[in-house]
Amino acid sequence: MDTRTTGHPPDGAEDAAARAARRREQRGWYFYDFACSVYSTSVLTVFVGPYLTSVAKAAADPDGFVHPLGIPVRAGSVFPYAVSASLVLAVLLMPLAGAAADRSGRRKPLLALAAYVGAGATAGLFFLDGDRYLLGAGLLIVANAALAVSMALYNAYLPQIAAPHERDAVSSRGWAFGYTSGALVLVLDLVLYTGHESFGLSESEAVRICLASAGLWWGAFTIVPLRRLRDRRLPRTEGAEAAGSGWRQLRATLKDMRRHPLTLAFLLAYLLYNDGVQTVISQASVFGSEELGLDQTTLITAVLLVQVLAVAGALGMGRLARAYGAKRTILASLALWTAILAAGYFLPAGAPVWFYALAAAIGLVLGGSQALSRSLFSHLVPAGKEAEYFAAYEMSDRGVSWLGPLVFGLAYQLTGSYRDAIASLVVFFALGFVLLARVPVRRAVAAAGNPVPERL
């Protein structure tokens, strides 16, 4: 094995102290998932969509429209449009962060900045009340963009802290940590929300506390990875001198990716199917509350079910990947995603049991498809360009995932039906499946100059 491309010696040559240090760093890495996943779960998936929509409706005219900058927008479309705008902002910021990290080798200060900007904006959602939908949309845009930037920097550590044969397992454990924290905080949120009167709180105050506490959690547990991860000053790679700005770096990265067309082909497939995943995650609560008429307690319980089963799903699909390969396992998950959306279109209104069944299915495939995509991509990244390439990956993960929320929002804007909006997402999974199936991943790993694992 050529150890120059992995940063790790063969297992037999690695002494016990080095292995212990690597395991300690991996455990610290897991904790950023533990820290920030609460935002994705409690804020983005459960509370902020329905709550921001209700605030926008309070500010709407008699026809149900608000008018930011004089533009008529249906109140129910404010949330998906804000998510879409946040991801456009992330596209502008991630090349800057990736270029700076790869040039300096100092990811931790940038990770800390992005994490605490996001945590601060999330905590600021406590002040979302009355008809201040523009405040809520603005804070959501900042928090979501900051999360995307921080995840690009965080993911770029994976090739450095895990040997090739470990990455599926390490990535899956990271997602499992995230879903564990999401479930734990959702239990606390459920207690607070359902018992808000006994705590002397209004329903609105309970929701705002749940939103703000996610920001405090994010900030508090970010301390663990910042203490345990270490920066590595990497040798300059070709094209690094040309990276005088984030946009110049983005052009250089895309130019470099043209030398690795199979890596680029994987990113295109991932862009499509993950766009669908991210949109389902962010819009599920709005679909449940507005289209199916489900109350907030049902939605919280359903998302809690997703979190619990996603832990088992992430770890279980990691084991399947060891037996059948990551690519085949991801393809199977995409087929299941398509079936889930088709079932969602026909869900009867006011029937929580069917919504719970759908949530259970989502939980079983969600963590695995995300974790295995991350670990598979880590094999396709040329050595020394981790942050740069993972910035592009994160654009596909969140930064270019503005298209799904935009399609969802437009479908609702044009039809007034969230069922039609959810059905519109099937195309992302179907096209992603076709494109991923066509990527020869073993050749892609070799073309990136990395050792090819026994099973992919």
Side-chain angles (χ1 to χ4, degrees):
M1 178 186 295
D2 184 354
T3 62
R4 292 173 299 172
T5 60
T6 67
H8 304 286
D11 284 343
E14 187 178 35
D15 61 33
R19 282 197 300 272
R22 183 151 54 92
R23 295 287 185 265
R24 183 178 187 276
E25 199 167 6
Q26 288 171 2
R27 288 191 291 271
W29 185 80
Y30 299 150
F31 265 92
Y32 191 66
D33 262 318
F34 191 85
C36 70
S37 291
V38 170
Y39 167 84
S40 299
T41 303
S42 292
V43 177
L44 197 61
T45 305
V46 176
F47 287 110
V48 79
Y51 187 63
L52 179 57
T53 299
S54 69
V55 171
K57 286 182 175 180
D61 63 22
D63 295 323
F65 286 83
V66 291
H67 300 269
L69 302 177
I71 302 169
V73 174
R74 194 185 291 268
S77 293
V78 168
F79 173 62
Y81 286 164
V83 173
S84 185
S86 73
L87 300 176
V88 173
L89 177 60
V91 169
L92 302 177
L93 296 177
M94 281 190 289
L96 291 167
D102 279 337
R103 284 201 306 273
S104 66
R106 289 175 56 79
R107 291 194 183 99
K108 280 206 297 185
L110 294 169
L111 176 61
L113 176 62
Y116 284 108
V117 167
T122 304
L125 288 170
F126 179 79
F127 300 103
L128 174 59
D129 197 12
D131 59 358
R132 290 183 281 186
Y133 74 96
L134 285 176
L135 172 66
L139 290 172
L140 175 62
I141 288 169
V142 171
N144 222 34
L147 177 67
V149 172
S150 72
M151 288 301 294
L153 297 164
Y154 163 73
N155 286 336
Y157 278 100
L158 180 58
Q160 297 181 347
I161 65 171
H165 70 277
E166 297 178 310
R167 290 181 197 166
D168 286 346
V170 170
S171 183
S172 295
R173 288 189 201 111
W175 281 107
F177 263 60
Y179 289 122
T180 300
S181 73
L184 174 61
V185 173
L186 268 183
V187 169
L188 299 177
D189 289 343
L190 184 61
V191 171
L192 178 64
Y193 180 80
T194 57
H196 61 84
E197 291 182 354
S198 63
F199 292 105
L201 300 171
S202 67
E203 182 177 325
S204 172
E205 288 170 337
V207 170
R208 289 159 51 208
I209 290 172
C210 291
L211 293 171
S213 63
L216 297 177
W217 181 284
W218 184 358
F221 283 100
T222 294
I223 294 171
V224 178
L226 292 179
R227 288 179 62 86
R228 291 199 172 188
L229 291 172
R230 62 185 181 88
D231 283 329
R232 297 158 173 83
R233 183 170 290 279
L234 300 173
R236 287 187 182 275
T237 57
E238 276 185 51
E241 294 293 341
S245 69
W247 282 104
R248 198 179 307 167
Q249 178 63 45
L250 177 59
R251 289 194 296 271
T253 301
L254 295 176
K255 183 178 179 180
D256 186 74
M257 281 187 172
R258 292 170 60 186
R259 296 167 42 217
H260 303 284
L262 298 179
T263 300
L264 198 56
F266 172 84
L267 266 181
L268 179 59
Y270 180 72
L271 181 155
L272 286 168
Y273 70 74
N274 188 67
D275 208 338
V277 172
Q278 294 299 324
T279 307
V280 171
I281 292 171
S282 65
Q283 306 303 322
S285 287
V286 174
F287 175 73
S289 63
E290 299 295 321
E291 185 68 36
L292 303 182
L294 302 176
D295 59 36
Q296 192 72 45
T297 301
T298 300
L299 298 177
I300 297 172
T301 308
V303 175
L304 177 60
L305 180 62
V306 169
Q307 299 302 300
V308 172
L309 291 179
V311 175
L315 298 177
M317 288 182 69
R319 293 190 183 95
L320 287 175
R322 288 200 294 270
Y324 300 103
K327 178 183 173 181
R328 290 180 181 176
T329 308
I330 294 169
L331 288 172
S333 77
L334 297 183
L336 291 172
W337 272 111
T338 303
I340 287 168
L341 284 182
Y345 180 83
F346 294 104
L347 279 187
V353 65
W354 291 109
F355 192 71
Y356 288 145
L358 197 71
I362 289 174
L364 290 174
V365 298
L366 175 61
S369 58
Q370 292 177 316
L372 294 177
S373 295
R374 178 169 65 183
S375 61
L376 182 56
F377 181 70
S378 73
H379 294 289
L380 310 182
V381 177
K385 298 186 177 181
E386 289 85 1
E388 180 182 331
Y389 270 59
F390 266 106
Y393 175 87
E394 194 64 22
M395 285 182 182
S396 300
D397 190 355
R398 289 181 175 86
V400 186
S401 290
W402 54 269
L403 185 59
L406 180 61
V407 168
F408 188 94
L410 286 174
Y412 178 74
Q413 176 100 358
L414 295 173
T415 67
S417 169
Y418 283 106
R419 292 185 189 274
D420 291 335
I422 206 76
S424 70
L425 302 179
V426 169
V427 67
F428 292 98
F429 293 101
L431 289 178
F433 181 99
V434 171
L435 291 177
L436 178 60
R438 294 170 59 87
V439 177
V441 291
R442 300 187 72 82
R443 279 173 43 204
V445 174
N450 294 326
V452 181
E454 181 179 348
R455 192 175 297 279
L456 279 171

